[in-house]
Amino acid sequence: MIERYLLRYFLAVIDQGNFSRAAAHCHVSQPTLSTGIAKLEQMTGAALFMRNNQRVELTAAGTRLMNHARRIEREFNLAEQAVAKEPGGAPLRIGVLNSIAGDVIARAMVLTGLDTGIMVELLPGNERELLARLDSGRIDVALTLVRGDKSEAIIDDGYGVALSATHRLAGRDEIAAEELASDPMIVRRHCEALSATSRHFVACGVRPHFAFRSTNDERVMQMVAAGLGVTVMPMSYRWPGMARARLKDFELRRSIGLLYGARAENMSGEAAAIISAIAQALREAHAQGIRSEESP
């Protein structure tokens, strides 16, 4: 019989992309996780991963097992929720894309009044992590990038340059990458547009000095406002002392919306009010960004 922890190790390798991150995610050592995967391969009689120095990829057998493993893990989570004896019921678990501004979520919590009678858990993550958690039942709703028709889109957001309000180009509606050739760049390492941004600057012949790298957007905006460098981020982001402008010829956009798990498919009452408040706060932040862009 295949034990549940082996399937969790297996799914963690898929979701995290390699064995070391999967081990950290599962709170075990890498040798322990590797031994577990080897045991699972022995039990199934097939290699599940193709390994190299850069990444791991699923074999055909691994792909077949993945579909069953995700379904089993989801059923386990639903069973645990069904028998949970928590005061006030199970908490509403909301996954939030790392690159959504933190003040938007904070504003949403203010709009709900935090007096809803149910507990809320916010779990940040990148797009892949949130989809995996949603699929396995570890979160109820994901506020994330949405694609296709299986989602409830809230906003469509573009990207632009963020620079200090005292920068020589502050006040411009649009800035070309070439005009930033002499400026240090701050890298938002978690941004889903990072690769596209890098390609755009390289195509424009700009190879900036990187003054700071971070996955913390609030810290990035503090450094931008202080004049340490410039960066590219969604236009809905605002910070005191930070100016915004469109990045010329950079047309990439993103849609942010809601994806629902099984427990949240028929959400109503206080839980639905919290989700509506988050959507409203996101729309307001986006509208404020649009008004700022259109201001003379």
Side-chain angles (χ1 to χ4, degrees):
M1 181 180 69
I2 297 177
E3 297 180 73
R4 184 186 181 189
Y5 81 92
L6 296 177
L7 295 179
R8 282 184 161 177
Y9 288 178
F10 172 66
L11 292 174
V13 174
I14 297 171
D15 295 336
Q16 300 301 317
N18 63 42
F19 277 59
S20 59
R21 287 198 297 266
H25 178 78
C26 294
H27 306 291
V28 298
S29 68
Q30 186 169 335
T32 296
L33 184 132
S34 297
T35 299
I37 296 297
K39 180 178 179 180
L40 184 59
E41 289 179 323
Q42 183 178 12
M43 295 177 73
T44 58
L48 303 175
F49 295 104
M50 295 180 287
R51 302 164 174 84
N52 58 48
N53 293 332
Q54 300 298 321
R55 54 181 297 181
V56 295
E57 296 181 1
L58 284 169
T59 62
T63 300
R64 290 193 298 272
L65 178 62
M66 177 184 68
N67 297 327
H68 294 289
R70 290 207 185 280
R71 185 164 58 250
I72 291 168
E73 181 63 15
R74 183 172 182 173
E75 290 299 324
F76 263 116
N77 281 289
L78 290 174
E80 288 174 347
Q81 293 168 19
V83 299
K85 300 292 184 181
E86 298 186 49
L92 174 63
R93 299 162 303 171
I94 305 171
V96 180
L97 188 68
N98 286 328
S99 60
I100 294 177
D103 68 313
V104 173
I105 307 304
R107 185 187 309 174
M109 294 299 101
V110 172
L111 288 174
T112 67
L114 295 178
D115 187 22
T116 60
I118 62 174
M119 296 181 65
V120 176
E121 292 181 11
L122 300 178
L123 294 91
N126 60 35
E127 182 184 15
R128 183 175 64 180
E129 290 169 340
L130 295 181
L131 291 176
R133 291 170 187 167
L134 198 67
D135 193 45
S136 64
R138 286 175 283 168
I139 58 176
D140 304 307
V141 183
L143 185 65
T144 184
L145 299 175
V146 293
R147 313 171 194 275
D149 299 325
K150 295 184 180 180
S151 56
E152 181 183 327
I154 299 171
I155 65 166
D156 179 64
D157 205 6
Y159 298 84
V161 180
L163 62 165
S164 170
T166 61
H167 192 280
R168 69 187 188 282
L169 300 176
R172 293 266 298 274
D173 292 331
E174 185 175 79
I175 297 172
E178 294 87 343
E179 297 178 275
L180 301 171
S182 63
D183 286 271
M185 183 70 68
I186 295 177
V187 179
R188 299 171 57 247
R189 299 181 63 178
H190 60 294
C191 182
E192 63 281 343
L194 183 58
S195 295
T197 301
S198 178
R199 290 194 298 270
H200 179 76
F201 276 85
V202 170
C204 294
V206 179
R207 296 180 180 274
H209 166 70
F210 297 122
F212 183 58
R213 295 175 172 86
S214 179
T215 58
N216 184 317
D217 278 321
E218 280 71 24
R219 186 163 295 174
V220 166
M221 290 187 287
Q222 289 171 351
M223 296 300 105
V224 169
L228 181 65
V230 302
T231 193
V232 174
M233 57 175 30
M235 288 300 295
S236 55
Y237 277 64
R238 290 294 181 272
W239 193 266
M242 188 176 81
R244 301 307 313 274
R246 294 184 297 274
L247 180 59
K248 184 179 179 181
D249 297 328
F250 189 70
E251 305 299 332
L252 185 67
R253 303 189 68 83
R254 68 176 186 173
S255 291
I256 298 292
L258 296 167
L259 299 176
Y260 295 91
R263 193 168 77 96
E265 286 177 352
N266 298 310
M267 185 180 296
S268 62
E270 294 168 337
I274 292 174
I275 298 303
S276 295
I278 291 176
Q280 179 182 341
L282 193 60
R283 291 189 189 98
E284 289 178 356
H286 183 247
Q288 180 181 359
I290 292 175
R291 288 195 297 270
S292 299
E293 287 181 65
E294 293 176 346
S295 298

